[in-house]
Amino acid sequence: MTARSLSTRRDGGIAEAASVAVIACVFVVPWVSENPMIYSLANQMLIAITAAFSVYIMLRMNLMTFAVPTFMAIGGYTVAILGLRHGVTDVLLLGVASFVVPALFALPLGALVLRLTGVYFVLVTFVLTEITQLVLFETPGWTGGSNGLVGMPAVTFFGIELGDNRAVLLVTTGLALAGATITAMVTRGLRQHFAAIEENELLAQSLGLVVWHYKAFGFAVAAGVSGLAGFALVNMLLTAHPTSFSPLSSVNYIAYAIIGGKGSMLGPVVGGALLIWAGEIFALRGEYSQFLFGFLIVVVVLAARDGVVGTIYRLGVRLVSPGPSSSSLKASPAALRVPTATEPQP
Amino acid sequence: MQGFVATGLIGISLGAQYALLALGFTLIFGILGVVNFAHGGFYVLGGYLAYSAVTFLGMPYALAVVCAALGTTGLGYLFERFALDRLIDDHLATLMLTLGLYMMMSSGILVIFGPQSPAFAFPLTGVIRGYGFFVPVENLVVLGICIVGILSIYGLMYHTDFGRALRALADDRAVATAQGLRPTVLFPAAFALATGLAGLTGALVTPILSLAPHIGDPVLATSFLIVILGGLGSVGGATVAAFLVGMVEAFSAVYLGGSKGALALFVLVLVMLVVKPSGLFGHRVRGA
């Protein structure tokens, strides 16, 4: 981890608060516009951002996850099955279920896979998404197989049906807001613990931090946040289909987080919004948007490791106070000390 | 019985193709410590280069295969030399770089050639029938070339100075560098060799199986399965695992149907990763 990203993270909870506030602002959209294109764009952005939050949580522990589609599928299919087969349509109940079921699924899984780090963790999560895809196709009794689950009833809020475009956007915004709030609370509340794990897991452990507690908790929360994104996606499409959760869609969510910047919670927000906007506004659909994402990943990794947000932050710091910022950027080893491991644990 | 033997031969043929493909993947990880997400992309590129050489330049297929392998070798060399080499010790950064390259390659191919599968057929056709078995000629030819390719890689890695230098760098880069080996020269060469193998496999196999812009996705997944099963970075492990995967795939396709065989393989590999991350034949892996 660089001194820059550390300094970005030490700026209070501004990034977290700003992320939550930006998402909350989308509640206004249905009242100021009736343009279906804007609704569609906002829906896609919010789903992308929520899924990218999941990647962000794991990146805070230096774990790159490809498992987002897996947990999105669990959340999405949970909602679809509850609605279709059990008649549950209340948005609050479904929202809780779409968070809790993937999180519960992640706990025993995390106990197994979180022993792995680095490349092995990447590979195990990639394999997991492949297995999920095959399971979705091979279990038609549960998941509808290659047909998926269709004909879901509209969700309701205290008996009011939320079926039109405006209501769907409100539901997506609510789910994204819940995801953002949970992400902010967890990454802010455990920032020092996560930073210790990211910086040097072995050292943190040797200094008394029960690392696997935090990793398992972070993994479960990330899974839950993915589940919320899965709910939003299924609710928008009105179908739960395996192709909505393809293994390589995880690449997009990683791209949003990396290109936006993994050093702050604003990164996934900016990355998700920017890339979805670029893909839609410039009519860069399908293959073109993939090329753009790929190109941006290469550029960001080679030239701007902190992503869009981190780079803007760094340039801003330089412009405002060139003297002190340069010294803070070249932080001494003491400044990079990981304080968490020595602190009392909750 | 006839079907059983024929399925076994197809499995061996598949295994040889997978071995050639996975050798490149595992070489890159073993020597450079890089998980090459673009490996499937180089496979597809090899197929399309061979197709272009045959269709647009009128080359004979054999020459087109060589050109495809050289083309992917060159691209791999340039990518390693000018992009990957700058971040060679950062696993996640190199992973992201190769992922970005893969997205650019697959979408670039899609833009240039379109989403439809082009008509790209193997020049030799027919079936050889024997007592109790039958096997397509093209599978036999590809099997032969793959076995020659695999043996060449073994020869290169274990019986030449170049191979010894690469293995020395993989074992201990600091000591190897102090002994005069130059990573800035050898790493791009190793990456180029591996991407050349992927391109060669693509050029050989896509006329038999299929050629389409996104066939790199399952190829990448298969490469992952093989190298995890065999042990990341283990050349011998990758070869054994490739034949294992080829056999399981062939028999499960015939006797189980659907994707049950693939599902079983993926679960096996997941268990392997959790229980023994270094795989069947793997050793401690640097930085992982």
Side-chain angles (χ1 to χ4, degrees):
Chain A
M1 185 170 52
T2 64
R4 285 194 296 271
S5 58
L6 270 178
S7 59
T8 307
R9 287 171 190 177
R10 284 175 179 169
D11 286 350
I14 295 171
E16 285 87 352
S19 304
V20 173
V22 165
I23 290 170
C25 285
V26 184
F27 274 123
V28 178
V29 171
W31 313 114
V32 297
S33 171
E34 292 186 349
N35 187 339
M37 179 68 188
I38 290 176
Y39 285 13
S40 166
L41 202 58
N43 266 313
Q44 290 178 58
M45 282 181 180
L46 290 172
I47 293 167
I49 289 167
T50 311
F53 280 148
S54 183
V55 177
Y56 168 73
I57 292 170
M58 297 306 290
L59 282 173
R60 292 295 301 267
M61 296 181 286
N62 205 25
L63 293 169
M64 170 89 74
T65 179
F66 278 74
V68 173
T70 294
F71 297 117
M72 281 179 76
I74 294 172
Y77 273 91
T78 298
V79 166
I81 290 169
L82 284 175
L84 270 172
R85 297 182 186 160
H86 302 285
V88 180
T89 57
D90 184 82
V91 71
L92 296 177
L93 281 178
L94 292 175
V96 170
S98 70
F99 181 86
V100 171
V101 174
L104 288 178
F105 186 84
L107 277 176
L109 192 68
L112 292 173
V113 303
L114 288 169
R115 292 187 293 119
L116 305 171
T117 55
V119 168
Y120 286 128
F121 185 79
V122 172
L123 292 176
V124 82
T125 53
F126 187 85
V127 170
L128 194 62
T129 57
E130 293 282 350
I131 290 174
T132 306
Q133 187 76 178
L134 293 170
V135 167
L136 290 177
F137 278 111
E138 288 291 330
T139 53
W142 290 356
T143 63
S146 56
N147 296 322
L149 295 174
V150 292
M152 288 164 49
V155 297
T156 57
F157 182 63
F158 293 109
I160 304 165
E161 198 171 277
L162 303 172
D164 62 355
N165 284 349
R166 176 178 288 181
V168 168
L169 179 55
L170 287 174
V171 170
T172 307
T173 311
L175 291 167
L177 189 62
T181 307
I182 292 165
T183 305
M185 286 169 63
V186 169
T187 53
R188 191 73 204 151
L190 298 177
R191 67 190 184 285
Q192 293 175 323
H193 307 85
F194 284 176
I197 294 168
E198 181 186 15
E199 188 68 23
N200 190 330
E201 186 178 326
L202 204 60
L203 176 64
Q205 200 160 11
S206 68
L207 290 174
L209 193 77
V210 186
V211 167
W212 76 268
H213 279 178
Y214 298 101
K215 285 173 79 173
F217 182 68
F219 190 55
V221 170
V225 171
S226 297
L228 293 174
F231 175 14
L233 183 61
V234 164
N235 187 54
M236 183 182 78
L237 299 173
L238 283 175
T239 175
H241 196 272
T243 52
S244 302
F245 309 104
S246 72
L248 283 176
S249 65
S250 58
V251 173
N252 291 347
Y253 307 129
I254 291 171
Y256 302 144
I258 297 286
I259 292 168
K262 60 178 182 173
S264 122
M265 198 175 146
L266 270 175
V269 176
V270 171
L274 200 65
L275 290 174
I276 294 285
W277 174 80
E280 286 292 324
I281 298 301
F282 296 114
L284 295 168
R285 294 174 190 279
E287 67 274 19
Y288 295 100
S289 61
Q290 285 297 303
F291 188 89
L292 176 74
F293 289 7
F295 177 71
L296 285 176
I297 286 176
V298 171
V299 169
V300 164
V301 173
L302 284 176
R305 297 289 296 278
D306 301 325
V308 175
V309 172
T311 305
I312 291 173
Y313 176 87
R314 189 155 42 91
L315 293 174
V317 167
R318 274 188 191 168
L319 281 174
V320 172
S321 53
S325 74
S326 59
S327 63
S328 71
L329 290 178
K330 294 171 185 169
S332 65
L336 288 169
R337 179 177 59 85
V338 181
T340 50
T342 56
E343 290 176 358
Q345 294 161 36
Chain B
M1 187 61 192
Q2 193 180 33
F4 187 84
V5 174
T7 307
L9 287 171
I10 297 289
I12 290 171
S13 172
L14 269 179
Q17 296 161 21
Y18 289 160
L20 198 59
L21 185 72
L23 275 180
F25 190 95
T26 209
L27 274 179
I28 292 177
F29 187 81
I31 296 164
L32 282 77
V34 171
V35 173
N36 181 21
F37 263 80
H39 205 64
F42 283 103
Y43 169 90
V44 182
L45 186 64
Y48 272 98
L49 285 177
Y51 162 74
S52 303
V54 169
T55 309
F56 304 123
L57 302 177
M59 279 186 194
Y61 174 71
L63 186 58
V65 169
V66 174
C67 287
L70 289 177
T72 51
T73 301
L75 182 64
Y77 182 90
L78 292 174
F79 181 68
E80 206 290 334
R81 184 72 187 83
F82 294 108
L84 217 51
D85 208 47
R86 297 168 58 182
L87 301 162
I88 200 73
D89 288 323
D90 186 338
H91 291 283
L92 290 185
T94 52
L95 189 150
M96 291 306 299
L97 271 182
T98 56
L99 198 56
L101 176 68
Y102 176 56
M103 292 164 88
M104 290 170 68
M105 284 168 80
S106 59
S107 53
I109 288 169
L110 190 64
V111 170
I112 294 169
F113 293 97
Q116 290 84 16
S117 294
F120 185 34
F122 203 80
L124 297 174
T125 53
V127 175
I128 293 178
R129 293 183 185 276
Y131 184 74
F133 75 92
F134 59 90
V135 62
V137 172
E138 60 261 41
N139 282 62
L140 272 185
V141 173
V142 169
L143 175 65
I145 297 172
C146 286
I147 287 173
V148 170
I150 293 164
L151 292 175
S152 303
I153 293 300
Y154 273 88
L156 186 73
M157 290 305 294
Y158 293 101
H159 298 287
T160 67
D161 288 342
F162 176 69
R164 272 188 283 275
L166 290 181
R167 286 189 290 125
L169 280 170
D171 276 348
D172 194 325
R173 193 185 309 168
V175 173
T177 308
Q179 292 293 319
L181 297 176
R182 296 167 63 193
T184 50
V185 174
L186 290 167
F187 280 177
F191 196 84
L193 173 67
T195 54
L197 283 176
L200 173 68
T201 317
L204 280 174
V205 174
T206 51
I208 300 174
L209 299 178
S210 66
L211 182 59
H214 286 298
I215 53 166
D217 300 355
V219 164
L220 180 66
T222 307
S223 299
F224 274 169
L225 281 185
I226 291 164
V227 295
I228 294 167
L229 204 57
L232 271 170
S234 165
V235 173
T239 310
V240 173
F243 280 99
L244 196 66
V245 168
M247 295 298 274
V248 170
E249 199 167 288
F251 279 104
S252 65
V254 173
Y255 294 104
L256 294 176
S259 48
K260 288 187 182 65
L263 184 59
L265 265 176
F266 272 106
V267 173
L268 173 70
V269 163
L270 186 72
V271 172
M272 170 67 77
L273 259 176
V274 172
V275 176
K276 192 173 183 292
S278 55
L280 289 172
F281 299 87
H283 307 290
R284 180 190 64 83
V285 178
R286 145 169 55 104

